[in-house]
Amino acid sequence: MKAMRMLKVLPLLVLFSSCQAHKDFFTSIGHMTDLLYTEKDLLTSLKEYIKAEELKLEQIKKWAEKFNSISETATKDPEGFLGHPVNAFKLMKRLNTEWLELENLVLKDMSDGFISNLTIQRQYFPSDEDQTGAARALIRLQDTYNLDTETISKGNLPGVHHKSTLTAEDCYELGKIAYTEADYYHTELWMEQALRQLDAGEESSIDKVLVLDYLSYAVYQQGDLEKALMLTKRLLELDPEHQRGNGNLKYFEYIRAKEENTSSSSDSEAVVSKTKKGRPKGHLPERQKYEKLCRGEGIKMTPRRQKKLFCRYYDGNRSPILILSPTKQEDEWDKPHIVRYHDIISDAEIEKVKALARPRLRRATVHDPVTGQLTTAQYRVSKSAWLSGYEDPTIARINTRIQELTGLDVTTAEELQVANYGVGGQYEPHFDFGRKDEPDAFKELGTGNRIATWLFYMSDVPAGGATVFPEVGAAVYPKKGTAVFWYNLFQSGEGDYSTRHAACPVLVGSKWVSNKWIHERGQEFRRPCKLSELE
């Protein structure tokens, strides 16, 4: 992290103060709640517009009824009717004045208020990037938790309180976003789901021809020529004049004939290069371990090791602050040693921290080892803010508590970082400490490497959101009011590579955490060095 994270106090921003402040809505549930209230305000404005239009229509109906009554009487005996001088006068008046009033009423635009409100609010609406990010998040959840498209479409997710379903059009949009990124695997899955829902009779603004067009090409790109042919033929049954469909049919048949000729000859060279069917590239072994742990699979704690993990009341090595009211400490893992502190932050403190952080939440960044700059990354999807102890007594009190419990000096630690994970929010496997190939990672701070990590869980998460350690097969689950702590460095100062960890995607709910990265400087006598490299 840069020195500015230690020193700079960001000014409190007024909600919706700038468009720049609200990019990447999908990365934070906290900011997406603002969108719900924006939508509610627009809905209120829309209802007022409808009411105004209905009132206007009622007035027009009254005019129509009035004119109709007069017209029916007058046209039965026009000369007799106009023989009455008052009727003659009133006819002149109606056509010269009253019909003009009616014309003005009909032309009166009742939408000004609604359109004005909509125009003002539109600048704060999500962008195409937000919609794409939210779609990627759904696909990420699908992969991480092995969810089929039917389960997601029907909203059958664990722990949900507000069940919501996807329409065929929604499924089509997910498939189309995958298609634009050449992710033909997920294109096929979501286009097939859209097609199933259309086949089941769902009414939609999209038709089967459009879905089959994308689906057949995605299937072909994954190497399944026969299925691509079958889908293209089905498309042409629905729309025989479909230009691209007819072209694809001829091309697919040509490729099949050529492949048959090639396979029967001695030349076995592939005719066309196609993507191997399956998830996109980049699905590395570590990611497989990471995703298994997120699902609660692959945890490597044995019963024998489990017996050596204990719960205890902990007084911070007889800290004057804690000796009369020790905290509840639980061993979560043995190597690396991860401990959890229960009831360590109150609900009132959590709400205060969130209130201080919410106006300044920004897309979380990572340290680029090549440029040395802070940058956003697809593998870290959340929003974060930094809080200093001198900003509020609550933050100062939390910092003191961390120091008393860990026995480490927090005056050289980084500010308290508060993070809120949005749709599919995650932080893929990473180290908190700077490795040997990153000698300048924390140079500007001048406080040495990150010796330890303290992590508060400030919300319960109905599903997903675990902190996992792929190297050792450990998983720690969020529990509101608790905190976990581990050392990133051995006492020799060498990095403990078993602490490589990740924040699993949030499947259901909103995840709030705050963390304190404690640095080496100031710990010389609190945690003395040892000579052995791995001690």
Side-chain angles (χ1 to χ4, degrees):
M1 290 295 153
K2 299 296 183 185
M4 63 182 290
R5 293 300 189 193
M6 289 282 290
L7 302 175
K8 186 176 181 182
V9 181
L10 296 174
L12 268 169
L13 301 179
V14 177
L15 189 63
F16 287 148
S17 61
S18 71
C19 297
Q20 181 66 27
H22 291 276
K23 287 184 177 180
D24 304 323
F25 276 107
F26 70 96
T27 62
S28 168
I29 294 293
H31 276 163
M32 281 192 285
T33 55
D34 297 334
L35 293 179
L36 286 178
Y37 290 111
T38 297
E39 188 174 47
K40 184 178 180 181
D41 179 59
L42 286 174
L43 185 58
T44 300
S45 182
L46 178 61
K47 288 178 179 177
E48 289 173 354
Y49 163 64
I50 293 170
K51 188 175 180 180
E53 287 287 7
E54 288 175 342
L55 181 61
K56 172 183 168 181
L57 192 59
E58 283 299 317
Q59 290 177 314
I60 293 172
K61 284 181 180 178
K62 288 179 180 178
W63 279 99
E65 289 170 1
K66 173 186 173 183
F67 291 156
N68 184 62
S69 175
I70 296 171
S71 179
E72 284 189 350
T73 303
T75 53
K76 287 178 181 177
D77 181 11
E79 289 189 9
F81 182 82
L82 290 173
H84 195 300
V86 172
N87 286 340
F89 164 74
K90 292 184 73 173
L91 175 62
M92 297 301 105
K93 177 176 174 290
R94 278 199 308 276
L95 292 173
N96 184 55
T97 305
E98 294 181 12
W99 276 96
L100 181 60
E101 290 177 11
L102 178 58
E103 180 185 1
N104 291 334
L105 176 62
V106 171
L107 292 174
K108 187 177 181 181
D109 190 352
M110 311 303 292
S111 67
D112 284 351
F114 171 66
I115 295 299
S116 177
N117 191 15
L118 183 62
T119 302
I120 292 169
Q121 298 286 13
R122 185 178 286 118
Q123 62 183 309
Y124 308 122
F125 279 12
S127 62
D128 289 343
E129 182 184 348
D130 286 303
Q131 184 174 335
T132 300
R136 286 193 192 123
L138 265 179
I139 291 171
R140 183 162 57 246
L141 292 172
Q142 176 186 3
D143 290 342
T144 303
Y145 296 104
N146 272 349
L147 301 171
D148 58 62
T149 53
E150 187 77 15
T151 298
I152 298 174
S153 181
K154 289 185 176 179
N156 296 326
L157 302 178
V160 294
H161 297 295
H162 306 283
K163 188 174 178 179
S164 184
T165 59
L166 294 174
T167 63
E169 186 179 359
D170 294 332
C171 296
Y172 164 78
E173 286 297 332
L174 285 166
K176 193 167 74 169
I177 287 170
Y179 180 87
T180 59
E181 298 182 349
D183 177 2
Y184 301 114
Y185 171 74
H186 289 106
T187 302
E188 178 184 359
L189 294 179
W190 284 104
M191 289 299 176
E192 282 187 335
Q193 181 62 33
L195 189 61
R196 276 195 295 272
Q197 292 180 206
L198 291 173
D199 285 341
E202 180 181 317
E203 292 186 7
S204 177
S205 59
I206 60 166
D207 58 26
K208 295 179 185 180
V209 171
L210 186 60
V211 174
L212 285 165
D213 192 15
Y214 278 97
L215 180 56
S216 60
Y217 187 75
V219 167
Y220 167 71
Q221 283 294 328
Q222 294 181 89
D224 194 340
L225 185 59
E226 291 303 317
K227 186 176 180 181
L229 269 166
M230 181 269 290
L231 291 167
T232 304
K233 288 176 180 177
R234 183 181 173 187
L235 183 157
L236 292 172
E237 287 175 3
L238 297 170
D239 183 3
E241 304 301 318
H242 195 280
Q243 186 175 356
R244 187 165 47 250
N246 280 298
N248 285 346
L249 181 63
K250 291 177 182 178
Y251 179 70
F252 293 159
E253 288 175 339
Y254 164 76
I255 292 296
R256 181 170 65 176
K258 197 164 185 179
E259 284 183 346
E260 289 172 353
N261 292 334
T262 302
S263 62
S264 63
S265 67
S266 57
D267 183 8
S268 59
E269 183 180 350
V271 175
V272 63
S273 173
K274 294 180 284 292
T275 307
K276 185 177 179 181
K277 200 161 187 174
R279 284 179 62 176
K281 292 179 180 179
H283 191 57
L284 303 175
E286 182 186 50
R287 183 166 185 83
Q288 293 175 342
K289 288 193 287 185
Y290 153 62
E291 290 182 351
K292 285 182 70 175
L293 287 168
C294 290
R295 296 192 294 268
E297 305 167 6
I299 297 174
K300 296 180 180 178
M301 178 58 67
T302 63
R304 185 174 181 178
R305 288 166 59 196
Q306 182 78 42
K307 289 179 182 178
K308 297 179 181 179
L309 302 180
F310 298 98
C311 297
R312 64 189 69 81
Y313 281 101
Y314 183 68
D315 61 9
N317 292 323
R318 302 192 64 77
S319 162
I321 295 177
L322 298 170
I323 195 166
L324 293 178
S325 57
T327 61
K328 291 176 279 188
Q329 187 190 68
E330 176 187 3
D331 294 325
E332 284 280 353
W333 206 260
D334 50 1
K335 292 183 180 180
H337 190 209
I338 305 169
V339 295
R340 187 194 292 264
Y341 295 92
H342 292 268
D343 303 319
I344 201 62
I345 184 170
S346 69
D347 287 351
E349 288 173 324
I350 287 172
E351 291 309 311
K352 184 63 177 179
V353 170
K354 287 164 67 174
L356 289 170
R358 190 176 274 111
R360 63 182 78 172
L361 286 172
R362 298 293 179 273
R363 178 72 182 267
T365 56
V366 296
H367 180 266
D368 189 325
V370 177
T371 65
Q373 301 297 313
L374 293 173
T375 182
T376 59
Q378 286 300 321
Y379 61 82
R380 188 179 191 186
V381 182
S382 65
K383 282 188 175 175
S384 64
W386 300 80
L387 305 177
S388 298
Y390 56 79
E391 291 184 59
D392 190 274
T394 300
I395 308 303
R397 187 167 60 249
I398 287 171
N399 288 342
T400 301
R401 190 176 307 152
I402 294 172
Q403 179 163 303
E404 293 299 323
L405 285 165
T406 63
L408 298 175
D409 186 352
V410 299
T411 59
T412 58
E414 294 173 53
E415 295 174 350
L416 187 71
Q417 181 183 221
V418 183
N420 179 220
Y421 291 81
V423 181
Q426 63 165 5
Y427 192 175
E428 290 186 6
H430 63 281
F431 297 105
D432 280 350
F433 63 90
R435 275 77 67 208
K436 289 181 178 180
D437 59 347
E438 300 175 300
D440 299 331
F442 308 109
K443 185 177 180 180
E444 291 186 27
L445 294 179
T447 52
N449 211 341
R450 288 174 176 166
I451 193 173
T453 296
W454 177 282
L455 178 65
F456 283 112
Y457 291 115
M458 302 198 301
S459 65
D460 291 313
V461 181
T467 305
V468 299
F469 296 73
E471 294 296 315
V472 296
V476 180
Y477 296 93
K479 183 180 179 184
K480 187 178 181 181
T482 70
V484 291
F485 172 79
W486 67 85
Y487 282 102
N488 297 307
L489 306 179
F490 292 111
Q491 283 187 251
S492 63
E494 292 294 322
D496 183 351
Y497 284 79
S498 69
T499 61
R500 185 170 173 82
H501 59 287
C504 295
V506 177
L507 180 57
V508 176
S510 175
K511 180 183 176 184
W512 283 88
V513 298
S514 57
N515 65 277
K516 194 80 171 172
W517 281 310
I518 304 171
H519 283 248
E520 290 177 294
R521 190 76 72 245
Q523 322 305 341
E524 293 82 359
F525 298 104
R526 293 172 181 259
R527 192 180 188 240
C529 289
K530 289 194 174 181
L531 298 178
S532 173
E533 185 177 332
L534 298 180
E535 283 189 272

